[in-house]
């Protein structure tokens, strides 16, 4: 799991999960439900589809709003999170998830203009 | 290669029946030199081998044919378009379009042995008008210009290069389509004719009369003079009825040197008979009256009537200036020969505003024709009409021959090549229409605005901006076909179209191009992802802004044109010139000029010419703005600097003098802050050095979401052509 911190983690939305199985990704979404054990929760992306996020350690605090999850995609289509952080509203401007989704799509549609992978592989 | 002349054409044309492109030979050409402001007029004697007629007037727009000597006696030509006209019972054929088929040299000599057709007797040869004419003038009516003596009308007029003048009688043409009888008279004048000259124009008309009663004429003549517009066609009547006609002659005279006698056609005395002329003139509004073609309207013509369609009616505008106030409205009319602008002021506005409707045909007469003020119109006409109390406008139901629109549509794809501020006609299908938005003009007035997206078969789209009432009334449902005449091309957002004062907007016009466009759109166009020439602007709100990146400023050479360019950008402040950000300004009223400190501690303003004990601090802040691609220096004046720094000039001035740390802090706070800047950029000449100067007009907080959406839209737009449409 530690290798997730060494390589670049492409931002994806729910429709791209299948292409990144067993790869580290960064997923941003709105927290929908939290399992009562606190070991998993579901997040919905800009398109409305939810993804299950599994944690190693149970949650310690209330989770709500927009979160950014970094982890590996399991072969079941869930994300094993290594770390996550809540995105707070800055200066009263809410995080526009749809806009973020559009940006993610653009990044994936035009990889030649967004060479994130290049930066990583030396 | 002798070209065959169309036999029987002359007789047919003489009888006013249309002949399709008759081929005729030019026997003779008479030139009527131009007056002070006119152009030459040429009268042609054409023959078809059997008969000949010398009442062909060459449309002035074809003068170049004569002047370049293509058109010479004995050459053979084809008349593509002609128009019949009537001058006091003299039939005239105006040649609107013709081509020379065979030059004079090739033709050799005269084809056939044509006999001349005249109004009187077909066989009468009217070679030398002047002389014969004189005989006819009964002259008893003493129309004589009263001058008499050297009148020698008969011949004196001849002195003038335009002997034709003699006929002036025929003059009645006044009403006649531009025949401008005045001509008659004028030539006379020009040649110092006839002493009768007491009344300038008089001279010629007199024909015979002068001789007889020198004294007589003058009084008579005088009268007409007073009433230029006198209808009395005068024709021959003058001769017969002393009090009559003369005015006619006279009037033209008044109308200064018309120089082109035009019709005068020495011919025939027949005009004399035309006393009937009077009637037509008196009721110009009747359809049967001779119509003046618009292209022949001039200030020298009185008693004209035009039959034309209103194609552009403006709203009533009120004005108030030092000389008083008033209201005005104007409209443009078109007939098959041209277009002209008609203006009505004050009382005439009340009279005619509700009567005149766009697209209807009217008979208009008794307006004042004068030189057009080109600033207010872009019509191709040197003259414009102003309505007066005696003007008459009568609706005419017979609109045969009057075109709907004179438009030369430019395909949207060609708009890119047009210069900014060019005036074009465009037709397109309204693909999309923004909602009406209200903006505040610099004058502080509220103005509605609407942007439409037009697309046409060239595959390109452009944005057309409507203002005011037009914007509000526009109905964009069902993708209407929109034709706009005289829209201005602007470089706003690449290329876009603006409707302005002289533009005409027609929705779903009744013209073939509109139908063709509708068909195209229904089949192909609606699915086509046309590329817009106007930069795509994100949804409502920043419609009017011209978004650029800082790199674009250099690559697009913004500001290099004649006018300043305005653009908006999202940029970050990276540096401020703190040292010279404030200056001492004149405290008097709205004068913000820099003041100089004098020895006595007072501050002098050169502009106001006064000195004050104090000054106001004002901002002139130079900031360096940067974005991903480039950086640039811009100047923020009072308002924008205060917005950016969040502190007033006075307060900052105070801090500068007292607390330096606090002063620095103000600037530190804005370093690396991102804002939306609306700027004005212009290439300026400063002591022989050309520099692009950028002034910040407005600072707005950066709306990242809006910016992102804009960028995403732009990306998608740019990517669209790459996507396979057929897929």
């Amino acid at each position: 799991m530690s290798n997730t911190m060494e390589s670049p983690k492409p931002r994806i939305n729910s429709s791209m999960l299948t292409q990144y199985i067993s790869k580290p990704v960064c997923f941003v979404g709105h927290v929908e439900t939290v399992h009562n054990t606190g070991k998993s929760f579901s997040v919905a992306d800009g398109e409305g589809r939810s993804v299950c996020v599994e944690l190693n350690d149970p949650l310690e605090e209330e989770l709500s709003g927009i979160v950014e999850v970094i982890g590996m995609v399991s072969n079941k289509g869930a994300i094993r999170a290594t770390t996550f952080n809540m995105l707070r509203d800055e200066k009263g401007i809410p995080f526009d998830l749809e806009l973020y989704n559009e940006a993610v799509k653009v990044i994936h549609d035009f990889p030649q203009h967004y060479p994130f992978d290049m930066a990583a592989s030396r | 290669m002798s070209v065959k002349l169309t036999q029987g054409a002359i007789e047919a044309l003489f009888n006013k029946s249309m002949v399709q492109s008759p081929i005729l030979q030019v026997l003779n050409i008479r030139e009527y030199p131009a007056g002070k402001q006119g152009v030459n007029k040429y009268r042609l004697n054409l023959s078809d081998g059997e008969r000949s007629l010398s009442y062909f007037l060459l449309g002035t727009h074809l003068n170049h044919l004569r002047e370049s000597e293509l058109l010479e006696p004995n050459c053979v030509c084809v008349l593509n378009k002609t128009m019949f006209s009537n001058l006091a019972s003299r039939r005239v054929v105006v040649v609107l379009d013709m081509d020379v088929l065979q030059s004079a040299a090739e033709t050799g000599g005269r084809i056939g042995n044509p006999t001349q057709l005249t109004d009187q007797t077909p066989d009468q040869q009217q070679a030398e008008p002047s002389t014969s004419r004189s005989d006819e003038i009964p002259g008893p009516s003493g129309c004589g210009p009263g001058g008499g003596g050297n009148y020698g009308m008969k011949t004196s007029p001849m002195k003038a290069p335009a002997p034709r003048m003699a006929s002036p009688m025929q003059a009645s043409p006044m009403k006649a389509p531009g025949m401008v009888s005045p001509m008659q008279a004028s030539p006379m004048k020009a040649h110092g004719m006839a002493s009768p000259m007491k009344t300038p124009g008089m001279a010629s008309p007199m024909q015979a009369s002068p001789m007889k009663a020198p004294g007589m004429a003058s009084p008579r003549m005088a009268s007409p003079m007073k009433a230029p517009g006198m209808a009395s066609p005068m024709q021959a009547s003058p001769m017969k009825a002393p009090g009559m006609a003369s005015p006619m002659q006279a009037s033209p005279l008044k109308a200064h040197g018309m120089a082109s006698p035009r019709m005068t056609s020495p011919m025939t005395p027949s005009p004399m008979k035309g006393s009937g002329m009077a009637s037509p003139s008196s009721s110009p509004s009747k359809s049967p009256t001779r119509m003046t073609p618009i292209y022949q309207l001039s200030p020298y013509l009185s008693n004209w009537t035009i039959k034309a369609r209103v194609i552009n009616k403006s709203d009533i505008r009120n004005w108030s200036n030092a000389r008083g106030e008033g209201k005005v409205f104007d409209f443009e009319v078109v007939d098959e020969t041209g277009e002209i602008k008609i203006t009505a002021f004050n009382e005439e506005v009340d009279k005619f505003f509700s009567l005149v409707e766009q697209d209807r045909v009217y008979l208009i007469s008794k307006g004042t024709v004068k030189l057009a003020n080109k600033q207010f119109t872009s019509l191709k006409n040197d003259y414009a009409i102003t309505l007066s109390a005696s003007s008459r406008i009568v609706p005419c139901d017979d609109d045969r021959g009057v075109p709907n629109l004179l438009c030369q549509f430019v395909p949207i794809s060609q708009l890119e090549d047009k210069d900014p501020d060019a005036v074009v006609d465009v037709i397109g299908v309204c693909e999309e229409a923004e909602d009406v938005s209200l903006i505040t003009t610099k004058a502080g007035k509220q103005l509605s605005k609407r942007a439409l997206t037009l697309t046409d078969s060239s595959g390109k789209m452009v944005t057309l901006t409507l203002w005011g009432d037009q914007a509000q009334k526009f109905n964009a449902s069902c993708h209407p076909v929109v034709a706009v005449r005289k829209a201005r091309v602007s470089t706003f957002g690449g290329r876009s179209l603006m409707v302005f004062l002289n533009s005409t907007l027609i929705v779903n016009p009744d013209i073939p191009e509109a139908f063709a466009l509708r068909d195209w759109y229904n089949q192909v166009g609606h699915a086509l992802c046309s590329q817009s020439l106007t930069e795509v602007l994100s949804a409502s709100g920043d419609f009017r802004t011209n978004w650029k990146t800082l790199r674009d400023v250099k690559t697009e050479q913004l500001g290099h044109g004649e006018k300043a360019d305005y653009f908006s950008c999202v940029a970050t402040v990276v540096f401020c010139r703190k040292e010279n950000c404030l200056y001492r300004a004149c405290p008097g009223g709205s004068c913000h000029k820099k003041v100089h400190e004098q020895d006595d501690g007072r501050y002098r303003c050169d502009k106001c010419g006064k000195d004050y004990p104090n000054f106001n601090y004002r901002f002139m802040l130079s900031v360096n703005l940067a974005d991903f691609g480039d950086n640039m220096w811009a100047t923020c004046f009072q308002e924008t600097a205060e917005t950016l720094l969040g502190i007033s000039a006075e307060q900052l001035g105070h801090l500068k003098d007292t607390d330096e740390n606090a002063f620095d802090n103000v600037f530190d706070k804005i370093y690396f802050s991102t804002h939306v800047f609306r700027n004005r950029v212009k290439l300026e000449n400063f002591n022989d050095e050309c520099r692009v100067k950028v002034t910040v007009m407005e600072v707005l907080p950066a709306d990242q979401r809006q910016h992102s959406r804009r960028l995403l839209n732009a990306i998608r737009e740019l990517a669209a052509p790459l996507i396979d449409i057929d897929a």
Side-chain angles (χ1 to χ4, degrees):
Chain A
M1 293 285 210
S2 55
N3 58 357
T4 54
M5 285 314 165
E6 289 164 4
S7 53
K9 294 152 283 288
R11 292 178 174 275
I12 61 163
N13 62 15
S14 49
S15 44
M16 300 164 198
L17 276 175
T18 49
Q19 299 158 25
Y20 287 86
I21 292 185
S22 303
K23 295 211 188 82
V25 295
C26 171
F27 188 91
V28 172
H30 182 262
V31 176
E32 292 207 311
T33 58
V34 182
H35 198 262
N36 38 19
T37 59
K39 288 203 90 176
S40 76
F41 58 92
S42 70
V43 264
D45 70 355
E47 285 172 347
R49 280 183 238 131
S50 6
V51 174
C52 186
V53 176
E54 293 157 14
L55 302 166
N56 288 333
D57 313 307
L59 284 171
E60 283 158 31
E61 51 174 8
E62 269 297 315
L63 200 63
S64 65
I66 314 279
V67 285
E68 182 185 51
V69 179
I70 296 173
M72 295 271 262
V73 182
S74 73
N75 39 16
K76 280 187 298 157
I79 300 177
R80 292 239 94 210
T82 50
T83 178
F84 67 88
N85 59 297
M86 294 209 308
L87 304 177
R88 304 205 181 280
D89 283 355
E90 201 181 291
K91 294 180 197 169
I93 305 170
F95 187 89
D96 190 334
L97 203 52
E98 281 168 23
L99 206 56
Y100 172 82
N101 189 58
E102 289 291 316
V104 169
K105 286 202 285 195
V106 167
I107 292 171
H108 286 268
D109 284 344
F110 303 102
Q112 69 272 33
H113 296 298
Y114 300 97
F116 296 129
D117 291 335
M118 303 290 193
S121 48
R122 284 152 235 176
Chain B
M1 336 124 346
S2 54
V3 185
K4 207 154 172 357
L5 302 181
T6 313
Q7 293 191 336
I10 290 288
E11 191 128 25
L13 288 172
F14 183 70
N15 290 321
K16 281 184 101 170
S17 43
M18 286 304 295
V19 184
Q20 188 76 342
S21 301
I23 300 177
L24 305 168
Q25 184 185 30
V26 177
L27 295 185
N28 202 3
I29 304 175
R30 281 239 154 83
E31 180 181 320
Y32 295 91
K36 268 186 294 186
Q37 292 168 30
V39 290
N40 285 346
K41 280 291 269 186
Y42 295 99
R43 191 159 60 82
L44 311 174
N45 190 353
L46 300 179
S47 119
D48 63 359
E50 291 180 331
R51 319 306 298 266
S52 66
L53 187 64
S54 67
Y55 296 126
F56 288 89
L57 284 195
L58 189 65
T60 47
H61 53 287
L62 296 172
N63 275 5
H64 61 277
L65 285 175
R66 171 70 189 136
E67 274 148 23
S68 63
E69 286 182 43
L70 266 175
L71 194 62
E72 277 189 307
N74 282 340
C75 78
V76 176
C77 58
V78 59
L79 306 186
N80 297 321
K81 190 164 186 229
T82 56
M83 187 179 71
F84 293 114
S85 212
N86 240 292
L87 285 182
S89 87
R90 187 162 356 159
R91 284 161 254 194
V92 170
V93 182
V94 182
V95 180
L96 295 172
D97 187 20
M98 69 182 291
D99 289 313
V100 175
L101 295 180
Q102 193 167 282
S103 73
E106 285 179 338
T107 315
R110 187 178 283 214
I111 298 174
N113 196 9
T115 49
Q116 188 87 355
L117 273 180
T118 66
D119 270 353
Q120 297 268 334
T121 37
D123 298 322
Q124 206 170 346
Q125 300 284 338
Q126 307 291 340
E128 263 334 286
S130 7
T131 37
S132 33
R133 216 80 7 114
S134 342
D135 300 348
E136 303 204 298
I137 316 269
S141 38
C143 297
N150 41 356
Y151 230 12
M153 268 320 70
K154 324 294 176 66
T155 37
S156 33
M158 311 325 152
K159 303 190 243 224
R164 329 263 152 64
M165 289 316 304
S167 352
M169 300 309 118
Q170 323 328 34
S172 36
M174 295 311 138
K175 295 188 286 234
M179 271 304 141
V180 197
S181 20
M183 302 309 93
Q184 270 104 348
S186 23
M188 302 296 133
K189 243 204 303 213
H191 309 280
M193 261 288 19
S195 34
M197 303 304 153
K198 295 192 197 176
T199 38
M202 301 293 341
S204 26
M206 313 323 131
Q207 259 88 317
S209 7
M211 308 309 142
K212 322 278 181 74
M216 282 241 302
S218 357
R220 219 161 317 219
M221 298 299 142
S223 31
M225 296 303 140
K226 299 195 186 125
M230 289 249 307
S232 34
M234 335 314 141
Q235 273 66 322
S237 8
M239 307 310 137
K240 319 221 172 134
M244 274 251 284
S246 13
M248 254 354 58
Q249 273 83 349
S251 23
L253 296 173
K254 251 208 293 214
H256 32 181
M258 288 273 350
S260 15
R262 300 224 192 147
M263 260 339 282
T264 0
S265 37
M267 321 295 143
T268 38
S270 29
M272 304 298 146
K273 6 187 228 228
S275 14
M277 267 309 142
S279 25
S281 28
S282 41
S283 47
S285 52
K286 292 209 199 98
S287 296
T289 316
R290 293 87 192 181
M291 295 296 139
T292 311
I294 285 183
Y295 93 106
Q296 283 197 351
L297 281 179
S298 78
Y300 316 123
L301 195 54
S302 51
N303 269 340
W304 46 262
T305 304
I306 55 171
K307 176 168 131 181
R309 188 186 303 273
V310 173
I311 47 166
N312 197 3
K313 177 180 163 190
S314 78
D315 295 326
I316 299 182
R317 289 192 300 284
N318 289 297
W319 84 83
S320 168
N321 61 17
R323 291 186 299 195
E325 44 178 46
K327 50 186 172 177
V328 63
F329 90 101
D330 55 69
F331 53 102
E332 292 167 15
V333 294
V334 65
D335 74 359
E336 59 198 359
T337 66
E339 48 189 15
I340 193 164
K341 190 184 184 82
I342 302 184
T343 311
F345 290 92
N346 302 321
E347 290 91 18
E348 279 71 50
V349 171
D350 298 325
K351 249 203 301 192
F352 295 117
F353 187 74
S354 42
L355 175 66
V356 171
E357 278 169 32
Q358 185 144 327
D359 282 341
R360 284 200 64 187
V361 177
Y362 296 91
L363 293 167
I364 302 165
S365 58
K366 297 210 186 122
T368 314
V369 181
K370 34 191 200 190
L371 280 179
N373 188 338
K374 289 282 173 167
Q375 274 181 313
F376 295 128
T377 178
S378 56
L379 289 182
K380 303 176 216 42
N381 198 324
D382 292 332
Y383 301 115
I385 298 173
T386 304
L387 298 177
S388 64
S390 53
S391 304
R392 295 191 55 175
I393 299 184
V394 176
C396 177
D397 291 320
D398 168 25
D399 59 0
R400 282 170 305 163
V402 184
N404 268 332
L405 287 168
L406 279 181
C407 274
Q408 282 174 306
F409 294 117
V410 172
I412 291 179
S413 51
Q414 282 181 18
L415 287 178
E416 280 179 303
D417 306 323
K418 292 280 174 196
D419 295 323
D421 291 343
V423 168
V424 294
D425 302 334
V426 173
I427 187 168
V429 176
C430 173
E431 181 87 42
E432 252 181 68
E434 289 279 333
D435 291 330
V436 179
S437 59
L438 265 182
I439 61 169
T440 315
T441 65
K442 279 191 274 203
K445 286 193 290 214
Q446 291 276 355
L447 191 60
S448 341
K449 184 187 138 149
R450 201 151 183 204
L452 318 174
T453 316
L454 294 186
T455 177
D456 74 356
S457 44
S458 66
K460 290 278 166 81
M461 293 200 308
V462 73
T463 300
L464 170 70
T465 310
L466 303 183
W467 304 95
D469 280 346
Q470 239 176 8
Q472 289 176 341
K473 288 188 204 147
F474 183 75
N475 180 1
S477 54
C478 311
H479 298 290
V481 174
V482 172
V484 54
R485 253 184 110 230
K486 304 214 174 68
R488 192 178 337 143
V489 176
S490 99
T491 45
F492 179 78
R495 277 286 183 277
S496 58
L497 292 174
M498 301 266 175
V499 164
F500 71 118
L501 200 60
N502 287 326
S503 308
T504 318
L505 185 79
I506 302 126
V507 177
N508 284 327
D510 206 6
I511 50 179
E513 288 95 334
F515 299 131
L517 207 60
R518 162 71 58 208
D519 285 337
W520 165 82
Y521 186 73
N522 288 339
Q523 287 159 28
V524 180
H526 65 278
L528 199 60
C529 257
S530 302
Q531 194 196 339
S532 179
L533 293 181
T534 314
E535 203 177 70
V536 171
L537 303 163
S538 63
S540 62
D542 61 354
F543 214 162
R544 54 203 153 104
T545 49
N546 183 18
W547 292 100
K548 297 278 175 211
T549 65
L550 297 186
R551 223 196 291 185
D552 296 337
V553 176
K554 296 212 180 87
T555 54
E556 293 180 15
Q557 297 204 314
L558 293 182
H560 280 236
E562 271 188 19
K563 282 205 294 199
D565 285 320
Y566 290 84
F567 72 96
S568 291
C569 65
V570 173
T572 311
V573 178
V574 292
F575 190 69
C576 296
R577 286 227 182 90
K578 294 189 277 196
E579 307 72 37
N580 279 334
C581 64
L582 291 166
Y583 72 98
R584 294 170 176 171
C586 171
S590 55
C591 172
H592 298 307
K593 188 139 173 66
K594 186 170 174 184
V595 292
H596 303 280
E597 190 171 355
Q598 292 175 310
D599 300 327
D600 58 359
R602 290 171 74 85
Y603 299 91
R604 178 172 175 79
C605 169
D606 292 331
K607 187 164 149 194
C608 298
K610 293 201 316 205
D611 57 347
Y612 300 89
N614 61 343
F615 57 86
N616 285 343
Y617 270 123
R618 280 189 74 83
F619 272 119
M620 197 171 65
L621 175 66
S622 271
V623 288
N624 189 287
L625 304 175
D627 68 5
F628 68 92
D630 208 344
N631 72 333
M632 71 178 189
W633 284 99
T635 311
C636 293
F637 288 101
Q638 184 77 348
E639 295 78 22
T640 45
E642 284 186 348
T643 310
L644 190 62
L645 295 170
I647 189 174
S648 79
E650 288 294 334
Q651 287 172 318
L652 193 66
H654 183 70
L655 282 180
K656 187 174 172 192
D657 296 332
T658 53
D659 188 347
E660 211 178 296
N661 272 336
F663 179 78
D664 287 340
N665 270 342
V666 169
F667 291 96
D668 289 345
K669 274 198 293 194
I670 66 158
Y671 281 145
F672 301 107
S673 63
T674 304
H675 306 263
V676 166
F677 294 91
R678 185 166 65 85
N679 310 311
R680 172 188 186 275
V681 55
K682 179 98 182 65
L683 185 68
E684 267 166 34
N685 224 318
F686 197 67
N687 296 341
D688 292 339
E689 197 191 303
C690 273
R691 270 211 192 166
V692 176
K693 303 224 104 195
V694 182
T695 312
V696 178
M697 308 296 293
E698 200 180 357
V699 177
L700 299 160
D703 185 344
Q704 300 290 9
R705 291 167 73 185
Q706 196 192 65
H707 183 52
S708 303
R709 267 193 222 107
R710 207 168 38 242
L711 292 175
L712 281 169
N713 281 334
I715 291 175
R716 292 297 176 199
E717 284 278 321
L718 289 168
L722 302 175
I723 299 169
D724 195 6
I725 298 175
D726 293 333

